[in-house]
Amino acid sequence: MNDYFLLPLASLPFPNINPILIQIGPLAVHWYGVGYIVGILFAWWYAKRLAANARLWPNGVLPMKPEDLDDFIVWAAIGVVLGGRTGYVLFYDLPRYIAHPLDIFAVWQGGMSFHGGLLGVILAMTLFSIKRGIRTWSLFDVVAAGVPVGLGLVRVANFINSELWGRPTDVPWAIEFPNGGPFARHPSQLYEALLEGVVLFLVLRILTHSRLKLKTPRFVGGAFICGYGLSRIFVEFFREPDQQLGYLLGTNWLTMGMILSSPMVLVGIWAMVTAKPVPQPQPA
């Protein structure tokens, strides 16, 4: 801690954007909620465009009907919210919620886990695809391709909320957050928005449209899982760990985010390595 006071005081000013976008009486619309809503709607719209483009799919056969994705958006929203909240409770602050179980339902106080949300959506996709007779990995591929946009928006909202800030630093673009103590810190939320949002979306776009990897079920989904895991692990080196957890296993670098993201990298690599193109139909 004493080393922190040796850091230079110079830093960029925090933009101090109101976390509430619109407020009418007791009704408040937060940037955080807008990020989730816009992200889900974009992923739905983008998935419909991908699913309707015969050039991208094996043998030009569309993998699902547009109305399938119209129905799935409800399943996805439920999976994100329930999975994200459950993951946060279990992985990040379980003792608090055991002591105060009613706080589990106080979602307006914040507390969502990407890893839990991912598991919730995977469960929703599996059940939905079985019910509709859709190839599960193709549904995962088409949904995963648009998810990075929502991830980027939510990370920007984290920045606006002055939460999940980075570790103290002396880089020229360091920012002194209003609730981050008297330290210039990494704007790690923006690092995540760039890597998990912009960069990952562009990589997946190349895979779907230039490399035509939707013809190889689970490759795009695997690239998403691996890409997110690598991005998150990298940014965790610049992000302050959750206060209630701190660094793990007696280290000054290992965080819960790293532990939860490492299996994602392995699963993503497995999915890409083992993915096989759908064979061409044999002439009669």
Side-chain angles (χ1 to χ4, degrees), residues 97 100-106:
Y97 292 107
H100 306 282
L102 291 180
D103 285 355
I104 294 175
F105 306 100

Side-chain angles (χ1 to χ4, degrees), residues 21 29 34 46 55 108 116 136 175 241 248 284:
L21 175 61
V29 178
V34 171
Y46 191 66
R55 182 182 74 89
W108 56 88
T136 301
I175 291 179
L248 306 178

Side-chain angles (χ1 to χ4, degrees), residues 134-278:
I134 300 171
R135 185 186 293 116
T136 301
W137 277 110
S138 290
L139 179 59
F140 190 31
D141 290 341
V142 79
V143 171
V147 168
V149 171
L151 296 180
L153 292 175
V154 170
R155 292 310 181 192
V156 172
N158 292 144
F159 178 80
I160 293 173
N161 289 346
S162 185
E163 60 188 4
L164 306 182
W165 16 257
R167 306 182 191 186
T169 182
D170 59 353
V171 296
W173 56 87
I175 291 179
E176 187 172 328
F177 291 91
N179 56 347
F183 311 123
R185 297 179 177 274
H186 284 287
S188 56
Q189 314 96 322
L190 301 184
Y191 300 170
E192 290 189 81
L194 177 63
L195 290 177
E196 301 168 9
V198 178
V199 173
L200 187 54
F201 176 77
L202 293 177
V203 169
L204 297 180
R205 175 77 181 189
I206 292 171
L207 291 177
T208 56
H209 286 72
S210 296
R211 305 299 297 173
L212 300 179
K213 286 299 184 179
L214 289 174
K215 299 187 179 205
T216 307
R218 80 166 167 257
F219 192 95
V220 174
F224 166 75
I225 295 175
C226 181
Y228 176 87
L230 290 173
S231 299
R232 180 67 181 269
I233 291 171
F234 175 77
V235 175
E236 285 288 316
F237 283 102
F238 304 96
R239 176 174 163 177
E240 190 82 4
D242 294 81
Q243 184 176 9
Q244 69 275 15
L245 291 177
Y247 297 109
L248 306 178
L249 302 181
T251 69
N252 62 352
W253 59 273
L254 184 65
T255 67
M256 179 61 76
M258 292 178 180
I259 290 177
L260 295 177
S261 298
S262 297
M264 294 181 64
V265 176
L266 299 178
V267 171
I269 292 174
W270 165 83
M272 289 186 288
V273 170
T274 60
K276 291 181 171 43
V278 175

Side-chain angles (χ1 to χ4, degrees), residues 3-11 169-172 174 176 182-185:
D3 292 340
Y4 290 172
F5 293 98
L6 301 178
L7 296 173
L9 297 179
S11 61
T169 182
D170 59 353
V171 296
E176 187 172 328
F183 311 123
R185 297 179 177 274

